[in-house]
PDB file of all heavy atoms in Angstrom:
ATOM      1  N   GLY A 199      -2.107  16.218  -3.967  1.00 98.00           N
ATOM      2  CA  GLY A 199      -2.878  17.145  -2.983  1.00 98.00           C
ATOM      3  C   GLY A 199      -1.966  17.518  -1.855  1.00 98.00           C
ATOM      4  O   GLY A 199      -2.310  17.534  -0.766  1.00 98.00           O
ATOM      5  N   ASN A 200      -0.620  17.678  -2.024  1.00 98.00           N
ATOM      6  CA  ASN A 200       0.331  18.219  -1.053  1.00 98.00           C
ATOM      7  C   ASN A 200       0.820  19.556  -1.510  1.00 98.00           C
ATOM      8  O   ASN A 200       0.252  20.187  -2.249  1.00 98.00           O
ATOM      9  CB  ASN A 200       1.480  17.127  -0.794  1.00 98.00           C
ATOM     10  CG  ASN A 200       0.921  16.104   0.125  1.00 98.00           C
ATOM     11  OD1 ASN A 200       0.754  16.310   1.319  1.00 98.00           O
ATOM     12  ND2 ASN A 200       0.671  14.896  -0.418  1.00 98.00           N
ATOM     13  N   LEU A 221       1.593  12.908  -8.445  1.00 98.00           N
ATOM     14  CA  LEU A 221       2.049  14.248  -7.975  1.00 98.00           C
ATOM     15  C   LEU A 221       1.239  15.383  -8.193  1.00 98.00           C
ATOM     16  O   LEU A 221       1.512  16.431  -8.044  1.00 98.00           O
ATOM     17  CB  LEU A 221       3.496  14.483  -8.445  1.00 98.00           C
ATOM     18  CG  LEU A 221       4.595  13.552  -7.975  1.00 98.00           C
ATOM     19  CD1 LEU A 221       5.782  13.683  -8.795  1.00 98.00           C
ATOM     20  CD2 LEU A 221       4.903  13.855  -6.515  1.00 98.00           C
ATOM     21  N   SER A 222      -0.077  14.999  -8.730  1.00 98.00           N
ATOM     22  CA  SER A 222      -1.004  15.983  -9.113  1.00 98.00           C
ATOM     23  C   SER A 222      -1.333  16.898  -8.063  1.00 98.00           C
ATOM     24  O   SER A 222      -1.275  16.497  -6.829  1.00 98.00           O
ATOM     25  CB  SER A 222      -2.101  15.484  -9.866  1.00 98.00           C
ATOM     26  OG  SER A 222      -1.728  14.870 -10.981  1.00 98.00           O
ATOM     27  N   HIS A 223      -1.723  18.173  -8.345  1.00 98.00           N
ATOM     28  CA  HIS A 223      -2.270  19.067  -7.217  1.00 98.00           C
ATOM     29  C   HIS A 223      -1.327  19.263  -6.143  1.00 98.00           C
ATOM     30  O   HIS A 223      -1.483  19.220  -4.949  1.00 98.00           O
ATOM     31  CB  HIS A 223      -3.653  18.693  -6.865  1.00 98.00           C
ATOM     32  CG  HIS A 223      -4.578  18.446  -7.926  1.00 98.00           C
ATOM     33  ND1 HIS A 223      -5.003  19.385  -8.645  1.00 98.00           N
ATOM     34  CD2 HIS A 223      -5.116  17.313  -8.418  1.00 98.00           C
ATOM     35  CE1 HIS A 223      -5.817  19.075  -9.596  1.00 98.00           C
ATOM     36  NE2 HIS A 223      -5.774  17.761  -9.506  1.00 98.00           N
ATOM     37  N   ASN A 224       0.107  19.691  -6.603  1.00 98.00           N
ATOM     38  CA  ASN A 224       1.001  20.157  -5.582  1.00 98.00           C
ATOM     39  C   ASN A 224       1.339  21.513  -6.085  1.00 98.00           C
ATOM     40  O   ASN A 224       0.618  22.213  -6.805  1.00 98.00           O
ATOM     41  CB  ASN A 224       2.206  19.075  -5.693  1.00 98.00           C
ATOM     42  CG  ASN A 224       1.965  17.954  -4.553  1.00 98.00           C
ATOM     43  OD1 ASN A 224       2.406  18.231  -3.452  1.00 98.00           O
ATOM     44  ND2 ASN A 224       1.603  16.875  -5.119  1.00 98.00           N
ATOM     45  N   ASN A 225       2.548  21.922  -5.668  1.00 98.00           N
ATOM     46  CA  ASN A 225       3.081  23.289  -6.134  1.00 98.00           C
ATOM     47  C   ASN A 225       4.394  23.065  -6.925  1.00 98.00           C
ATOM     48  O   ASN A 225       5.172  23.988  -6.710  1.00 98.00           O
ATOM     49  CB  ASN A 225       3.197  24.135  -4.733  1.00 98.00           C
ATOM     50  CG  ASN A 225       3.356  25.547  -5.135  1.00 98.00           C
ATOM     51  OD1 ASN A 225       2.693  26.168  -5.912  1.00 98.00           O
ATOM     52  ND2 ASN A 225       4.266  26.189  -4.424  1.00 98.00           N
ATOM     53  N   ILE A 226       4.533  22.018  -7.608  1.00 98.00           N
ATOM     54  CA  ILE A 226       5.790  21.819  -8.272  1.00 98.00           C
ATOM     55  C   ILE A 226       6.101  22.756  -9.369  1.00 98.00           C
ATOM     56  O   ILE A 226       5.312  22.804 -10.250  1.00 98.00           O
ATOM     57  CB  ILE A 226       5.870  20.298  -8.671  1.00 98.00           C
ATOM     58  CG1 ILE A 226       5.673  19.293  -7.494  1.00 98.00           C
ATOM     59  CG2 ILE A 226       7.154  20.090  -9.487  1.00 98.00           C
ATOM     60  CD1 ILE A 226       5.557  17.874  -7.774  1.00 98.00           C
ATOM     61  N   GLY A 244       1.590  11.371 -12.784  1.00 98.00           N
ATOM     62  CA  GLY A 244       0.592  12.428 -12.687  1.00 98.00           C
ATOM     63  C   GLY A 244       1.231  13.729 -12.264  1.00 98.00           C
ATOM     64  O   GLY A 244       1.709  13.730 -11.106  1.00 98.00           O
ATOM     65  N   LEU A 245       1.096  14.687 -13.052  1.00 98.00           N
ATOM     66  CA  LEU A 245       1.821  16.086 -12.759  1.00 98.00           C
ATOM     67  C   LEU A 245       0.688  17.163 -12.904  1.00 98.00           C
ATOM     68  O   LEU A 245       0.970  18.295 -13.022  1.00 98.00           O
ATOM     69  CB  LEU A 245       2.974  16.292 -13.518  1.00 98.00           C
ATOM     70  CG  LEU A 245       4.177  15.581 -13.098  1.00 98.00           C
ATOM     71  CD1 LEU A 245       5.206  15.633 -14.283  1.00 98.00           C
ATOM     72  CD2 LEU A 245       4.696  16.151 -11.923  1.00 98.00           C
ATOM     73  N   ARG A 246      -0.560  16.817 -13.074  1.00 98.00           N
ATOM     74  CA  ARG A 246      -1.642  17.763 -13.357  1.00 98.00           C
ATOM     75  C   ARG A 246      -1.661  18.755 -12.172  1.00 98.00           C
ATOM     76  O   ARG A 246      -1.390  18.467 -11.026  1.00 98.00           O
ATOM     77  CB  ARG A 246      -2.927  17.163 -13.428  1.00 98.00           C
ATOM     78  CG  ARG A 246      -3.034  16.311 -14.691  1.00 98.00           C
ATOM     79  CD  ARG A 246      -4.483  15.428 -14.725  1.00 98.00           C
ATOM     80  NE  ARG A 246      -5.583  16.250 -14.839  1.00 98.00           N
ATOM     81  CZ  ARG A 246      -6.100  16.630 -15.915  1.00 98.00           C
ATOM     82  NH1 ARG A 246      -5.704  16.258 -17.112  1.00 98.00           N
ATOM     83  NH2 ARG A 246      -7.330  17.360 -15.917  1.00 98.00           N
ATOM     84  N   GLY A 247      -2.272  19.915 -12.460  1.00 98.00           N
ATOM     85  CA  GLY A 247      -2.340  20.903 -11.254  1.00 98.00           C
ATOM     86  C   GLY A 247      -1.182  21.338 -10.449  1.00 98.00           C
ATOM     87  O   GLY A 247      -1.268  21.304  -9.308  1.00 98.00           O
ATOM     88  N   ASN A 248      -0.089  21.597 -11.117  1.00 98.00           N
ATOM     89  CA  ASN A 248       1.110  22.091 -10.424  1.00 98.00           C
ATOM     90  C   ASN A 248       1.520  23.411 -11.073  1.00 98.00           C
ATOM     91  O   ASN A 248       0.687  24.168 -11.701  1.00 98.00           O
ATOM     92  CB  ASN A 248       2.260  21.072 -10.610  1.00 98.00           C
ATOM     93  CG  ASN A 248       2.135  19.965  -9.669  1.00 98.00           C
ATOM     94  OD1 ASN A 248       2.355  20.184  -8.405  1.00 98.00           O
ATOM     95  ND2 ASN A 248       1.708  18.715 -10.014  1.00 98.00           N
ATOM     96  N   GLN A 249       2.743  23.896 -10.830  1.00 98.00           N
ATOM     97  CA  GLN A 249       3.116  25.227 -11.161  1.00 98.00           C
ATOM     98  C   GLN A 249       4.176  25.227 -12.366  1.00 98.00           C
ATOM     99  O   GLN A 249       5.055  26.089 -12.496  1.00 98.00           O
ATOM    100  CB  GLN A 249       3.825  25.918 -10.041  1.00 98.00           C
ATOM    101  CG  GLN A 249       2.841  26.064  -8.775  1.00 98.00           C
ATOM    102  CD  GLN A 249       1.871  27.023  -8.927  1.00 98.00           C
ATOM    103  OE1 GLN A 249       1.969  28.024  -9.654  1.00 98.00           O
ATOM    104  NE2 GLN A 249       0.636  26.829  -8.338  1.00 98.00           N
ATOM    105  N   LEU A 250       4.189  24.081 -13.130  1.00 98.00           N
ATOM    106  CA  LEU A 250       5.236  24.015 -14.104  1.00 98.00           C
ATOM    107  C   LEU A 250       5.011  25.049 -15.231  1.00 98.00           C
ATOM    108  O   LEU A 250       3.894  25.180 -15.776  1.00 98.00           O
ATOM    109  CB  LEU A 250       5.154  22.696 -14.898  1.00 98.00           C
ATOM    110  CG  LEU A 250       5.495  21.500 -13.826  1.00 98.00           C
ATOM    111  CD1 LEU A 250       5.153  20.128 -14.460  1.00 98.00           C
ATOM    112  CD2 LEU A 250       6.931  21.567 -13.430  1.00 98.00           C
ATOM    113  N   GLN A 269       0.566  12.832 -17.296  1.00 98.00           N
ATOM    114  CA  GLN A 269      -0.580  13.720 -17.273  1.00 98.00           C
ATOM    115  C   GLN A 269      -0.084  15.063 -16.750  1.00 98.00           C
ATOM    116  O   GLN A 269       0.384  15.272 -15.717  1.00 98.00           O
ATOM    117  CB  GLN A 269      -1.490  13.160 -16.161  1.00 98.00           C
ATOM    118  CG  GLN A 269      -2.118  11.855 -16.617  1.00 98.00           C
ATOM    119  CD  GLN A 269      -2.945  11.071 -15.637  1.00 98.00           C
ATOM    120  OE1 GLN A 269      -3.035  11.546 -14.525  1.00 98.00           O
ATOM    121  NE2 GLN A 269      -3.792  10.170 -16.276  1.00 98.00           N
ATOM    122  N   MET A 270      -0.263  16.049 -17.651  1.00 97.00           N
ATOM    123  CA  MET A 270       0.460  17.297 -17.553  1.00 97.00           C
ATOM    124  C   MET A 270      -0.418  18.637 -17.551  1.00 97.00           C
ATOM    125  O   MET A 270       0.119  19.677 -17.464  1.00 97.00           O
ATOM    126  CB  MET A 270       1.462  17.443 -18.679  1.00 97.00           C
ATOM    127  CG  MET A 270       2.209  16.264 -19.052  1.00 97.00           C
ATOM    128  SD  MET A 270       3.700  15.891 -18.055  1.00 97.00           S
ATOM    129  CE  MET A 270       4.842  17.195 -18.660  1.00 97.00           C
ATOM    130  N   ALA A 271      -1.703  18.463 -17.731  1.00 97.00           N
ATOM    131  CA  ALA A 271      -2.560  19.693 -17.880  1.00 97.00           C
ATOM    132  C   ALA A 271      -2.574  20.528 -16.582  1.00 97.00           C
ATOM    133  O   ALA A 271      -2.134  20.039 -15.527  1.00 97.00           O
ATOM    134  CB  ALA A 271      -3.942  19.244 -18.437  1.00 97.00           C
ATOM    135  N   LEU A 272      -3.244  21.591 -16.695  1.00 97.00           N
ATOM    136  CA  LEU A 272      -3.460  22.452 -15.556  1.00 97.00           C
ATOM    137  C   LEU A 272      -2.259  22.890 -14.814  1.00 97.00           C
ATOM    138  O   LEU A 272      -2.010  22.874 -13.529  1.00 97.00           O
ATOM    139  CB  LEU A 272      -4.333  21.780 -14.443  1.00 97.00           C
ATOM    140  CG  LEU A 272      -5.725  21.259 -15.017  1.00 97.00           C
ATOM    141  CD1 LEU A 272      -6.493  20.429 -13.955  1.00 97.00           C
ATOM    142  CD2 LEU A 272      -6.607  22.505 -15.326  1.00 97.00           C
ATOM    143  N   ASN A 273      -1.222  23.316 -15.695  1.00 98.00           N
ATOM    144  CA  ASN A 273      -0.020  23.912 -15.014  1.00 98.00           C
ATOM    145  C   ASN A 273       0.036  25.276 -15.499  1.00 98.00           C
ATOM    146  O   ASN A 273      -0.845  25.747 -16.070  1.00 98.00           O
ATOM    147  CB  ASN A 273       1.270  23.070 -15.441  1.00 98.00           C
ATOM    148  CG  ASN A 273       1.484  21.855 -14.463  1.00 98.00           C
ATOM    149  OD1 ASN A 273       2.046  22.051 -13.514  1.00 98.00           O
ATOM    150  ND2 ASN A 273       0.962  20.826 -14.878  1.00 98.00           N
ATOM    151  N   ARG A 274       1.278  26.051 -15.138  1.00 97.00           N
ATOM    152  CA  ARG A 274       1.354  27.356 -15.558  1.00 97.00           C
ATOM    153  C   ARG A 274       2.112  27.547 -16.836  1.00 97.00           C
ATOM    154  O   ARG A 274       3.017  28.226 -16.962  1.00 97.00           O
ATOM    155  CB  ARG A 274       1.902  28.258 -14.508  1.00 97.00           C
ATOM    156  CG  ARG A 274       1.271  28.144 -13.102  1.00 97.00           C
ATOM    157  CD  ARG A 274       1.784  29.075 -12.128  1.00 97.00           C
ATOM    158  NE  ARG A 274       1.507  30.336 -12.667  1.00 97.00           N
ATOM    159  CZ  ARG A 274       0.471  31.134 -12.566  1.00 97.00           C
ATOM    160  NH1 ARG A 274      -0.690  30.626 -11.970  1.00 97.00           N
ATOM    161  NH2 ARG A 274       0.286  32.348 -13.025  1.00 97.00           N
ATOM    162  N   TRP A 275       1.779  26.673 -17.863  1.00 97.00           N
ATOM    163  CA  TRP A 275       2.599  26.651 -19.009  1.00 97.00           C
ATOM    164  C   TRP A 275       2.789  28.016 -19.757  1.00 97.00           C
ATOM    165  O   TRP A 275       1.882  28.754 -20.000  1.00 97.00           O
ATOM    166  CB  TRP A 275       1.931  25.598 -20.074  1.00 97.00           C
ATOM    167  CG  TRP A 275       1.847  24.426 -19.517  1.00 97.00           C
ATOM    168  CD1 TRP A 275       0.645  23.615 -19.274  1.00 97.00           C
ATOM    169  CD2 TRP A 275       2.936  23.403 -19.164  1.00 97.00           C
ATOM    170  NE1 TRP A 275       0.909  22.334 -18.919  1.00 97.00           N
ATOM    171  CE2 TRP A 275       2.325  22.238 -18.645  1.00 97.00           C
ATOM    172  CE3 TRP A 275       4.335  23.509 -19.197  1.00 97.00           C
ATOM    173  CZ2 TRP A 275       3.066  21.111 -18.306  1.00 97.00           C
ATOM    174  CZ3 TRP A 275       5.044  22.440 -18.758  1.00 97.00           C
ATOM    175  CH2 TRP A 275       4.357  21.343 -18.212  1.00 97.00           C
ATOM    176  N   ASP A 298      -3.026  13.871 -21.669  1.00 97.00           N
ATOM    177  CA  ASP A 298      -3.890  15.047 -21.766  1.00 97.00           C
ATOM    178  C   ASP A 298      -3.275  16.298 -22.555  1.00 97.00           C
ATOM    179  O   ASP A 298      -3.566  17.394 -22.324  1.00 97.00           O
ATOM    180  CB  ASP A 298      -4.347  15.483 -20.402  1.00 97.00           C
ATOM    181  CG  ASP A 298      -3.138  15.678 -19.534  1.00 97.00           C
ATOM    182  OD1 ASP A 298      -1.946  15.565 -20.035  1.00 97.00           O
ATOM    183  OD2 ASP A 298      -3.181  16.029 -18.270  1.00 97.00           O
TER     184      ASP A 298
END
Side-chain angles (χ1 to χ4, degrees):
N200 279 285
L221 292 165
S222 295
H223 307 294
N224 273 275
N225 193 43
I226 297 171
L245 282 166
R246 291 167 69 88
N248 277 288
Q249 303 285 329
L250 296 170
Q269 297 176 344
M270 316 277 285
L272 303 174
N273 275 279
R274 304 191 61 82
W275 298 116
D298 53 2

